[in-house]
Amino acid sequence: MSIRDLARHLDISIGTVSRALNGKSDVNPETRERVLVAAKKLGYVPNQSGRSLRQGTTNTIGFMIESTIETADNGGSFFMPVFEGVQSVFRRHHLDLVALLCGTDEDPAAYLNRVVGRRFVDGLIISATMRKDPRIKFLLEREIPFVALGRSATGGAYPWIDLDFEGVAATAVTRLINFGHKRIAIGVPASDINLGYVFRDGYKRALKANGVPFDPELVLPAHSNEEGGYQVASSMLEQKHLPTAVILVNENMAIGLYRRFYEAGIHPGRDVAVIGFRESTQSRFLSPTLTCFRISLRDLGIKLAEALLSTMPAFKDSYPQDRVAMVWPMELVPGESDRSWRPNASS
């Protein structure tokens, strides 16, 4: 049913119906109630395209995700709680959240250019930020409201929130060194995503702070999924001296890593210490249970939404805050995967 049909049914003007639906004060309360009751009864839904053209807004926010091997395998376990947190804020303002999936065969900057050109959304949340990310420069130049889930070396004043990869690296390295480890490997992303650089830098600083020399052969790039964990374990087994411990940048890597070690007769937690990244359902059911880090993804989503709205003229009065540049804390959850190992004379 169109607004014209609704007005004809009520035998009042289209203008009056429109003002009643939009809560204008110049409409008689009885008329407004009559319009609202009829609209609900007859299933009238405003034409969003027409409204967007008139108001110059879409009331839609896009969350851009790169559909990589990693997100296809386990992105739901990370992004769905984040989406729920974001939408819990947006629903207060009648804003809709849409996921924008950029495929592996498409350049993210070109994809974003197309989304912006179509005026499909009023603002954006971008993720998987690269070391040098052209999307950030593009959005800044066009003054499009956005917030980044992840930091970048790209210059400019923009809001971002990133997980505490440095803190995870520092805590894990110090914990393992206190347990007697010196040959500590890390599994990092096999891509230019910025979190890999941040994680590696934090690892190197933690080693230095504890008086342990950095060995580039212990930095093992792989996909951030089960297959990547299998690859990390294989790379460790190929080394002349097996590293006594490993820190993983993704919790699902531990599944493949455990599998490869068990195939080789190596027992995680006994023969090699393992620290994962984020606590998940899978990590709790691994044997031995995985030492990892806890994070509230829903709260992270809430903060992302509030950071974005604070940059949008229509909402910044409701969210008065300075530009957000925040490292999101993570809490160590001790498991059984890194405790029982004891160094021998050759370690």
Side-chain angles (χ1 to χ4, degrees):
M1 170 171 281
S2 68
I3 192 170
R4 186 182 300 277
D5 296 329
L6 182 60
R8 187 181 299 115
H9 171 81
L10 293 168
D11 194 27
I12 55 181
S13 71
I14 294 175
T16 300
V17 171
S18 177
R19 292 196 301 278
L21 292 171
N22 286 287
K24 301 297 183 182
S25 60
D26 60 347
V27 178
N28 182 284
E30 293 181 1
T31 301
R32 180 185 298 108
E33 181 65 18
R34 183 178 165 220
V35 170
L36 295 175
V37 169
K40 182 176 180 180
K41 180 179 179 181
L42 299 173
Y44 168 76
V45 178
N47 184 316
Q48 187 60 47
S49 297
R51 175 174 288 185
S52 297
L53 287 172
R54 291 191 300 274
Q55 297 179 349
T57 62
T58 65
N59 292 321
T60 301
I61 304 297
F63 198 130
M64 183 176 172
I65 303 171
E66 291 187 41
S67 183
T68 62
I69 294 174
E70 288 87 345
T71 55
D73 285 350
N74 55 66
S77 66
F78 179 87
F79 283 108
M80 290 307 296
V82 175
F83 288 164
E84 168 54 28
V86 170
Q87 190 58 47
S88 70
V89 176
F90 286 171
R91 69 169 61 101
R92 303 174 202 159
H93 307 285
H94 307 290
L95 297 172
D96 293 319
L97 176 68
V98 295
L100 304 172
L101 302 180
C102 177
T104 55
D105 59 345
E106 185 164 14
D107 175 57
Y111 177 88
L112 185 64
N113 194 337
R114 188 170 71 251
V115 169
V116 170
R118 291 176 175 175
R119 299 182 180 179
F120 184 55
V121 295
D122 296 333
L124 285 155
I125 302 171
I126 63 173
S127 62
T129 48
M130 298 291 108
R131 190 67 163 177
K132 294 291 185 180
D133 201 317
R135 297 175 300 171
I136 293 173
K137 181 180 179 182
F138 175 85
L139 293 170
L140 286 172
E141 288 176 346
R142 286 155 184 78
E143 298 183 348
I144 296 169
F146 78 98
V147 60
L149 176 53
R151 283 162 283 181
S152 172
T154 303
Y158 59 92
W160 58 264
I161 302 174
D162 200 4
L163 305 188
D164 189 9
F165 293 98
E166 296 130 315
V168 167
T171 299
V173 167
T174 301
R175 177 179 173 87
L176 291 170
I177 289 175
N178 288 339
F179 286 162
H181 297 275
K182 294 181 181 178
R183 285 183 52 77
I184 303 170
I186 56 169
V188 297
S191 69
D192 197 46
I193 192 168
N194 193 55
L195 70 87
Y197 292 92
V198 175
F199 189 68
R200 187 186 296 108
D201 291 345
Y203 162 78
K204 292 171 68 174
R205 283 194 296 270
L207 289 175
K208 183 177 180 180
N210 286 278
V212 176
F214 169 70
D215 183 351
E217 291 188 0
L218 297 179
V219 178
L220 308 174
H223 292 303
S224 298
N225 58 7
E226 292 89 342
E227 181 182 350
Y230 192 94
Q231 180 184 344
V232 167
S234 296
S235 298
M236 292 173 65
L237 291 167
E238 290 170 1
Q239 297 197 11
K240 183 177 180 180
H241 298 290
L242 177 70
T244 63
V246 60
I247 307 166
L248 303 172
V249 78
N250 180 280
E251 64 281 358
N252 290 310
M253 295 175 80
I255 299 172
L257 181 117
Y258 274 37
R259 170 66 181 272
R260 182 67 186 95
F261 278 152
Y262 282 130
E263 289 176 352
I266 303 294
H267 291 264
R270 188 187 73 186
D271 303 320
V272 61
V274 182
I275 296 183
F277 187 67
R278 181 177 62 88
E279 182 186 41
S280 67
T281 301
Q282 294 91 329
S283 68
R284 290 193 293 271
F285 284 95
L286 286 172
S287 180
T289 56
L290 187 66
T291 294
C292 52
F293 294 81
R294 180 175 295 145
I295 177 176
S296 173
L297 294 176
R298 188 178 188 276
D299 289 342
L300 173 62
I302 290 172
K303 191 62 179 179
L304 281 168
E306 293 174 347
L308 175 62
L309 293 181
S310 71
T311 71
M312 301 175 68
F315 304 102
K316 63 181 182 181
D317 288 343
S318 300
Y319 299 92
Q321 57 182 316
D322 295 332
R323 176 174 52 84
V324 174
M326 182 178 186
V327 175
W328 196 259
M330 301 182 70
E331 175 190 0
L332 178 72
V333 181
E336 302 166 336
S337 62
D338 67 337
R339 282 187 169 274
S340 59
W341 179 90
R342 289 294 181 269
N344 56 40
S346 62
S347 296

